[in-house]
Each structure stands twice: as C-alpha cells, then as structure tokens.
C-alpha cells in the first residue's frame, strides 16, 4: 500500500505514478519479524504533566497555567503570601504567556534498560498558541501502575510554525504539539511476560488467516512440524528438542524467515490532509461514471444614484449583483472491471478527481456494490 497526497491539481497524477510503483512491488518478501511480535513483548504507555518554558508570548494564560507555576515554585521552596496566591490564581494581569502546561507521553518497550533514552511527545494542555522555542522542564513519566519509569526533558521541536499580525496570521502543521528526540531517560525497566515452557506464540500485527498460514508454512519448511495456526492473529511454535533450552533463539530464527503477506483490499481517504491510500487488492466492477462540477460565482458592482439638481432628493447606493453558473462539461467515463491498482489509477486520472471527489465516488461505488474493498473515510 502506498500513501498518495499533494496538491489537489496533481492528485490524480500522483495516484497513477505511485499506484504503478505499488504494483511493481506487489508480492515482495518480508521478514516474519517485521509483521509479527512475540507474545509477552509489548509497549507500555507512559504519561506525565510538565511545564514548557521559554516561549515568546505564545504560552498559556488561563488559571491552570498560573496554578501549575505556583505549585512548581513552592516545590523549590519559594513561598508566597496568601494574597499573592489568590491573585495569581484569579488575576490575568499577571503574565504567564512564556510558559505552557503540557501532557508528555512516551512508549516504553519491554527490555529497555535504565539509562537508555526514548522519544517523547509533548502537547499543550492550556490555551497556548505555540510551543515553538520552548524547553520542557524535567517531568516524571508514570505507567498505569503509578510508578515512575522515565524522566523527560529538553527542547521541543514542533515541525511547524505560526506567525500573526494585526489582521492576518499564517500557520503550518500543529504548533501546540511537538516531539523531543531521545527526550526521556529510562529509570525503571519493564519486563516481558515469561514464555510458556516449550511453546512460543507469534502475534500478527495485522491479523489475517492467509498470512498466518504462510508463516506457519515457511516455518515448517525449515523446521518440520513445529508451527500451527491458532487463529487469524496467532501462529504457535513448538521448538524442536534441540532448541528446548534456547527457546528465544528459536524464535529469533523463525523471525528471520521471509513470507509474502496477504493484505485486505482497503481504501483510506483523508479529506482533511488530501491523502489517499489504495490497497493493491482493490477491485471494481465495470461501471459508468459521470462526475461534473458546478461552479457558481457572484460579483457585487454597486452603483451610485445621484438625484437631479434642486430636486431635494438623496444620493443612494444601488446594489448590482451578477451571478454566473458554470457547469464543467466532462464526457462519460467507463471504468472497466479493474485487475490492478494501476488500472484503477488510470481511470481516476482520466476523471481528474480531488480527494473530496474520491470520497463521493467511492461511497457511491460502495453503495452500488461495485467496489470490492473496505472503505475508510477519516
């Protein structure tokens, strides 16, 4: 599957080019390691509340920001009088827009040792406008058991920007969400669940009976009688007697085997970002499509009506509105029963469709029963 995006005017051309690339890569061998994980191994989600400082007037200004700053200063032994505390909590005249309260998240995989570093995600919790240029103060990250497993800190990278003036502003991406590469230090290790004696289960990242069958077949070709399919998402391995003492080594050997995974026919359309993803197994029955656009334009050309001299009349503005309706003429397009994504891309390219057009077309094809694929609209 390939991701297709870009300016709307060249979307169909991108669909054609990348779909052709997809077809050429169809049937590629991949490692079992890249499409499965060993049972017991997992990622633990860590979360914490922190404070980003050093913002240039783009931080938060609401009560939660001032309350967080007050609590932080008190932890460092800076005491405040009750009157000052009440004012900081309620009076917006006290500036706090160089700071922002943020939610910090990280994924900690099993086997990470104390002292290793992991990436973290930082997102604003208050009314901050941007985290650009900010630095995250040391923030404890806890798991579901309430224990601290990592400590995050460092400069925030947002991958975008926001600029504004008196009457206009411009923004790229989401300036209130950023990342810190290697921004957290692991303080406590998480352990994988112990493997059952003499048994290993491989869990498919994308459950599919055919893919599971192929993994079991590849395993049995090298280690006869050691693999079986339990369900669409699980392949069970029973190590040969020679590997009983080194079960994890056997799992590593199996993960290096290669198979061709089987994918569900699926189309994903995200109208907000202009992204279209078409799976290689998508098929469409023969249909006839006519997709025309209706453009309506209006123009205001007001005229001034001046009364005759000495008529005691008043000068008035008379509205004049011009409305033009233009319907784009497109020929009927017949889409034959498609055999590949390339065929489908060529048909869509002939229509010159945009992501919003694709959304409408595919929904109608799904309702008519001509689309043999799952359709996801985001």
């Amino acid at each position: 599957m390939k991701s297709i995006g870009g300016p709307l005017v060249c979307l169909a051309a991108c669909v054609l080019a990348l779909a052709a690339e997809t077809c050429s890569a169809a049937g590629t061998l991949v490692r079992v390691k890249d499409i499965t994980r060993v049972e017991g191994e997992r990622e633990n989600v860590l979360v914490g509340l922190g404070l980003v400082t050093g913002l240039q007037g783009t931080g938060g200004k609401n009560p939660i920001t001032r309350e967080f700053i007050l609590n932080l200063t008190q932890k460092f032994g800076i005491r405040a009088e009750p009157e000052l505390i009440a004012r900081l909590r309620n009076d917006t005249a006290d500036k706090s827009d160089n700071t922002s309260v943020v939610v910090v998240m990280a994924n900690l995989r099993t086997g990470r040792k104390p002292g290793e570093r992991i990436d973290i995600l930082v997102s604003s919790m208050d009314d901050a406008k941007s985290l650009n240029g900010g630095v995250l103060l040391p923030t404890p990250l806890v798991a579901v058991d309430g224990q601290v497993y990592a400590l995050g800190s460092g400069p925030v990278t947002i991958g975008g920007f926001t600029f504004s003036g008196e009457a206009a502003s411009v923004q790229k991406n989401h300036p209130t969400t950023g990342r810190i590469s290697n921004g957290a230090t692991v303080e406590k290790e998480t352990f994988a669940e112990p493997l059952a004696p003499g048994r290993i289960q491989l869990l498919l990242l994308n459950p599919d009976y055919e893919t599971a069958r192929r993994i079991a077949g590849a395993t049995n070709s090298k280690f006869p009688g050691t693999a079986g399919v339990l369900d669409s998402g699980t392949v069970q391995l029973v190590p040969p007697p020679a590997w009983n003492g080194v079960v994890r080594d056997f799992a590593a050997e199996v993960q290096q085997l290669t198979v061709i995974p089987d994918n569900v026919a699926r189309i994903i359309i995200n109208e907000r970002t202009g992204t279209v993803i078409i799976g290689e197994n998508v098929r469409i029955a023969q249909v006839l499509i006519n997709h025309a656009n209706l453009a309506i334009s209006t123009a205001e050309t007001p005229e001034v009506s001046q009364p005759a001299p000495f008529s005691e009349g008043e000068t008035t503005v008379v509205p004049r509105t011009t409305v033009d309706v233009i319907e784009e003429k497109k020929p009927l397009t017949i889409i034959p029963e498609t055999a590949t994504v390339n065929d489908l891309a060529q048909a869509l390219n002939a229509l010159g469709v945009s992501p919003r057009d694709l959304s409408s077309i595919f929904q109608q094809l799904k309702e008519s029963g001509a689309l043999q694929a799952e359709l996801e609209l985001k």
Side-chain angles (χ1 to χ4, degrees):
M1 300 175 69
K2 294 289 182 180
S3 176
I4 304 169
L8 300 185
V9 293
C10 66
L11 171 70
C14 292
V15 171
L16 175 58
L18 292 183
E21 180 184 344
T22 300
C23 292
S24 65
T28 302
L29 288 169
V30 300
R31 296 183 304 172
V32 172
K33 180 178 183 178
D34 297 324
I35 57 176
T36 65
R37 65 178 179 86
V38 178
E39 181 187 25
E41 297 181 352
R42 51 170 294 176
E43 286 189 340
N44 294 281
V45 178
L46 308 181
V47 65
L49 279 181
L51 194 67
V52 170
T53 61
L55 304 178
Q56 296 181 339
T58 60
K61 302 177 182 179
N62 59 14
I64 189 176
T65 309
R66 297 191 297 274
E67 184 78 19
F68 204 96
I69 296 173
L70 183 61
N71 293 338
L72 180 64
T73 55
Q74 289 179 343
K75 287 181 179 179
F76 283 92
I78 301 176
R79 302 299 177 183
E81 297 296 330
E83 295 80 7
L84 176 60
I85 295 176
R87 192 179 80 244
L88 288 174
R89 288 175 174 172
N90 303 304
D91 189 358
T92 58
D94 291 288
K95 299 295 184 181
S96 61
D97 54 4
N98 65 336
T99 58
S100 175
V101 179
V102 295
V103 177
V104 185
M105 298 182 62
N107 291 327
L108 180 61
R109 294 184 62 88
T110 55
R112 289 281 193 173
K113 305 297 182 182
E116 292 190 65
R117 303 189 67 87
I118 57 177
D119 296 346
I120 56 178
L121 178 68
V122 180
S123 59
S124 176
M125 185 178 177
D126 53 20
D127 57 350
K129 296 180 180 179
S130 174
L131 299 179
N132 185 38
V135 177
L136 175 69
L137 298 183
T139 304
L141 303 179
V142 302
V144 67
D145 58 4
Q147 299 186 45
V148 176
Y149 284 84
L151 185 67
S153 64
V156 180
T157 303
I158 63 173
F161 59 79
T162 178
F163 297 104
S164 63
E166 293 295 333
S169 63
V170 61
Q171 174 179 316
K172 178 182 179 181
N173 296 336
H174 298 279
T176 55
T177 300
R179 299 187 66 86
I180 304 178
S181 180
N182 292 327
T185 303
V186 177
E187 301 292 337
K188 186 177 181 180
E189 182 180 0
T190 59
F191 298 93
E193 298 177 6
L195 295 176
R199 179 179 60 84
I200 304 172
Q201 289 190 354
L202 296 180
L203 308 181
L204 277 68
L205 300 182
N206 295 304
D208 181 86
Y209 274 111
E210 177 58 24
T211 303
R213 185 181 68 85
R214 294 177 184 181
I215 293 175
T219 304
N220 288 327
S221 295
K222 186 172 183 179
F223 306 102
T226 60
V229 177
L230 294 185
D231 52 48
S232 62
T234 310
V235 176
Q236 180 166 287
L237 306 177
V238 178
W243 294 81
N244 281 338
V246 283
V247 176
R248 294 189 181 275
D249 289 346
F250 177 72
E253 285 288 329
V254 173
Q255 286 184 320
Q256 294 304 313
L257 300 177
T258 58
V259 297
I260 300 176
D262 193 40
N263 296 316
V264 176
R266 182 181 289 114
I267 297 175
I268 302 176
I269 300 176
N270 191 324
E271 294 181 357
R272 295 171 298 171
T273 62
T275 303
V276 180
I277 301 175
I278 303 177
E280 63 176 338
N281 295 321
V282 172
R283 300 291 183 269
I284 295 180
Q286 181 168 332
V287 291
L288 183 148
I289 296 179
N290 180 23
H291 190 75
N293 295 323
L294 187 67
I296 302 176
S297 63
T298 62
E300 297 288 347
T301 54
E303 298 180 356
V304 177
S305 176
Q306 184 70 29
F310 309 105
S311 64
E312 298 183 356
E314 296 182 356
T315 300
T316 60
V317 178
V318 180
R320 291 288 186 270
T321 302
T322 303
V323 179
D324 291 328
V325 179
I326 303 173
E327 186 173 6
E328 184 180 356
K329 302 298 183 181
K330 287 187 177 180
L332 297 177
T333 300
I334 297 178
I335 299 182
E337 185 173 356
T338 57
T340 65
V341 176
N342 189 39
D343 298 332
L344 176 58
Q346 290 182 9
L348 297 177
N349 186 44
L351 287 173
V353 295
S354 69
R356 190 172 299 276
D357 294 328
L358 283 176
S359 176
S360 301
I361 291 174
F362 280 127
Q363 286 186 68
Q364 297 301 318
L365 288 173
K366 188 68 174 179
E367 292 182 7
S368 68
L371 178 62
Q372 311 304 323
E374 294 182 5
L375 179 61
E376 294 184 16
L377 303 177
K378 298 184 178 293

